[in-house]
Amino acid sequence: MSEEAQTTPPADNLVTTRHTLPTGQGYTTTTGTMVVREEVFTDGAFGGHRPKAEVFLTSYTLDDADPLTRPVTFAFNGGPGSSSVWLHLGILGPRRVVMGDAGGLLPPPYALADNDETLLKVSDLVVIDPMSTGYSRAAEGEKAEPYHGFSGDLESVGEVIRLWTTRNARWMSPKFLAGESYGTVRAAGLADHLQSRYGMYLNGVMLISSVLDYATVEFNEGNDLAYALYLPTYAAIAHYHGLHGDRLLADVLREAEEYAARDYPWALARGNRLTPAERAAAVSRVAALSGLSEGYVDRVDLRIEHIRYFTELLRERRLTVGRLDGRFTGWDPDSGREHFTADPSMNAITGPYSAALNHYLRTELGYANDLPYEILTSRVHPWSYKEFEGAHVIVTDRLGAAMRTNPHLRVHVACGYHDGATPYYAAEHAFAHLPVPAELAANVEFKYYEAGHMMYVHEPSRLSQSADLAAFVLGQQA
């Protein structure tokens, strides 16, 4: 290879195709990698813009729309280490995966179908794969690690949003973020980062399967908060699997929430100061709500860690239940183990989404790349949270700052009752502590679905959620 070829800087590698929605409206898709550059200074002297990364994205823009009024939504999933395939082909994009659902999964090779409820009907879309996910990679000679952490991730994804907005003349368009799971951490941080770094104010943030305060979901020694906040999700999963008889889910959740709000935290805080009668009452109540035996709840000292729960709940049936979605069940070769060997809900969705994405990009969008598309990668680990050294990760302060600076910023929070990764009651707890004045509390809306982390794999939830997201973008009540 010649020296000239070796030093040729990377360039954007984008492919454009045109398509039609079932409604007859035309839209343009652009997919491929965008080069992200950083300004370089050496001893105070400007050294140019050095290519640092090639970030993969897919954008959808409705033809002949007015950019002054047409919204645009920037979307991503989480992980960290997840591509954005789930939101892309699960609910937002114009094409969607057909895979079946819990208890009725379809066999490979699966299928793609038109998404009649795509958000593209009301908003242009830009789906972004963060560093090292999808086809996103560091530029030649550069390292990916600086982007494998909280701040570096915000800066790189924020730069992609700025570049796309600028190059497509969309600064005057209504702008939204949609993040799922760790993507909600990213979205909350970006709302503040885009404002403070670029002066880019948003109209709304959609938080799907939200986790903004890690203390609400981490079962660390001395932190009893997560045990209480998970209880309503345990109750929902137990209800789904028939362990609450013919009771209505709403009644079970109401009872679990009431106990988790007051009596359960009190019992955990009392520790060995509980009288035998008080302890027996707490064990009985937690067991009844969670679907576990009183003996098990007593042995774990009233503290049910989530992976242990998913392994224990249906042990007598020799089944495990899903973490991402407690409606799914699986079989473990050792039904006596403490922790399951795999999440059956993750197993259920990985194959369909991987097949659909790899087919879709090359066959329908005309984008060819021989690299593996990293659906969910461990290459980003260890993820750096150095900004939170000595403290737990929390971004409600950043979202609050964004809302205080821009009081027109609205927030949509989507929760699955059977989501064992980011439980709905933990999200409610985090937002109850959002640092905004009372008048801005009305800017936050919650929507709930009888499904899990990717609630849209459940068809009734997908239809409801699609309507809810569209209504939010349009500023309406669904």
Side-chain angles (χ1 to χ4, degrees):
M1 183 180 292
S2 68
E3 182 178 346
E4 180 181 357
Q6 290 177 334
T7 59
T8 300
D12 292 352
N13 177 22
L14 300 168
V15 176
T16 298
T17 53
R18 287 178 170 78
H19 310 267
T20 304
L21 290 171
T23 58
Q25 295 172 289
Y27 66 93
T28 298
T29 299
T30 301
T31 190
T33 54
M34 173 187 289
V35 178
V36 173
R37 295 174 170 83
E38 290 184 3
E39 298 178 57
V40 176
F41 293 88
T42 303
D43 295 330
F46 179 57
H49 298 90
R50 177 184 299 170
K52 302 293 286 188
E54 299 176 67
V55 177
F56 186 77
L57 58 80
T58 301
S59 67
Y60 300 92
T61 55
L62 199 68
D63 296 342
D64 302 320
D66 182 358
L68 296 181
T69 58
R70 175 73 173 167
V72 56
T73 298
F74 299 92
F76 33 75
N77 279 84
S82 177
S83 68
S84 297
V85 63
W86 320 106
L87 287 179
H88 188 177
L89 296 184
I91 189 167
L92 298 182
R95 299 280 279 164
R96 64 180 181 87
V97 175
V98 179
M99 57 164 277
D101 194 9
L105 292 171
L106 298 177
Y110 315 109
L112 276 168
D114 285 335
N115 181 7
D116 294 338
E117 295 75 32
T118 174
L119 195 67
L120 182 57
K121 286 184 173 181
V122 299
S123 173
D124 289 343
L125 299 170
V126 182
V127 183
I128 303 167
D129 286 335
M131 175 59 71
S132 300
T133 74
Y135 288 129
S136 297
R137 301 290 191 274
E140 185 174 352
E142 298 294 331
K143 294 182 179 180
E145 284 73 13
Y147 303 104
H148 295 167
F150 178 77
S151 292
D153 175 72
L154 290 186
E155 291 164 4
S156 59
V157 176
E159 177 64 359
V160 170
I161 292 172
R162 183 196 70 82
L163 277 174
W164 191 94
T165 301
T166 300
R167 291 177 180 179
N168 291 274
R170 301 299 294 269
W171 273 87
M172 299 300 285
S173 299
K175 289 177 283 297
F176 295 81
L177 301 179
E180 182 179 288
S181 196
Y182 182 83
T184 64
V185 175
R186 181 182 292 123
L190 278 172
D192 181 46
H193 174 75
L194 291 171
Q195 282 183 180
S196 60
R197 177 66 180 87
Y198 304 125
M200 181 182 289
Y201 285 34
L202 302 171
N203 295 78
V205 178
M206 292 169 267
L207 305 177
I208 301 167
S209 302
S210 174
V211 53
L212 303 187
D213 180 352
Y214 280 25
T216 63
V217 297
E218 291 185 339
F219 298 89
N220 295 327
E221 188 73 26
N223 174 35
D224 284 337
L225 182 61
Y227 297 105
L229 298 179
Y230 259 85
L231 185 62
T233 294
Y234 295 159
I237 294 172
H239 177 274
Y240 180 84
H241 292 289
L243 301 178
H244 283 286
D246 59 359
R247 294 185 65 190
L248 295 176
L249 176 61
D251 292 339
V252 172
L253 294 179
R254 188 179 305 111
E255 181 184 351
E257 291 170 10
E258 289 175 356
Y259 189 70
R262 187 183 300 272
D263 292 346
Y264 193 18
W266 177 84
L268 295 175
R270 293 292 293 171
N272 60 16
R273 293 172 294 183
L274 286 171
T275 67
E278 290 169 341
R279 180 180 175 86
V283 166
S284 177
R285 192 74 180 278
V286 171
L289 288 167
S290 67
L292 299 175
S293 70
E294 291 188 13
Y296 181 84
V297 174
D298 187 44
R299 289 193 298 274
V300 299
D301 197 27
L302 291 166
R303 291 163 174 81
I304 306 168
E305 191 278 330
H306 69 323
I307 302 300
R308 298 174 81 182
Y309 176 80
F310 306 138
T311 310
E312 180 69 24
L313 181 66
L314 302 182
R315 189 183 298 276
E316 293 304 312
R317 305 181 196 175
R318 294 182 178 268
L319 294 173
T320 60
V321 301
R323 174 177 178 265
L324 292 179
D325 193 327
R327 299 175 305 125
F328 288 81
T329 59
W331 182 87
D332 199 291
D334 179 356
S335 59
R337 72 171 74 245
E338 180 77 351
H339 300 107
F340 60 32
T341 54
D343 177 354
S345 52
M346 188 76 238
N347 288 347
I349 63 176
T350 299
Y353 277 81
S354 298
L357 190 284
N358 280 282
H359 167 83
Y360 178 59
L361 292 181
R362 184 177 288 261
T363 305
E364 298 191 17
L365 301 189
Y367 180 80
N369 193 322
D370 287 340
L371 287 173
Y373 184 91
E374 298 289 351
I375 297 286
L376 183 63
T377 181
S378 61
R379 290 184 177 182
V380 305
H381 298 295
W383 191 258
S384 173
Y385 292 110
K386 62 183 180 181
E387 302 81 2
F388 304 95
E389 186 174 359
H392 66 271
V393 176
I394 184 169
V395 291
T396 49
D397 56 337
R398 297 178 188 239
L399 180 59
M403 294 177 69
R404 296 192 304 271
T405 300
N406 172 18
H408 300 288
L409 178 63
R410 296 180 295 117
V411 181
H412 168 94
V413 188
C415 302
Y417 286 131
H418 303 104
D419 177 2
T422 58
Y424 79 92
Y425 201 54
E428 290 184 10
H429 177 92
F431 275 91
H433 297 82
L434 188 68
V436 295
E439 59 267 23
L440 290 185
N443 286 19
V444 180
E445 69 173 26
F446 271 76
K447 298 293 181 180
Y448 301 89
Y449 309 94
E450 292 188 27
H453 198 66
M454 289 83 163
M455 58 280 292
Y456 38 83
V457 304
H458 176 241
E459 183 65 4
S461 295
R462 185 185 71 81
L463 295 174
S464 296
Q465 187 178 25
S466 296
D468 291 340
L469 294 175
F472 177 75
V473 169
L474 293 175
Q476 303 170 347
Q477 292 295 321

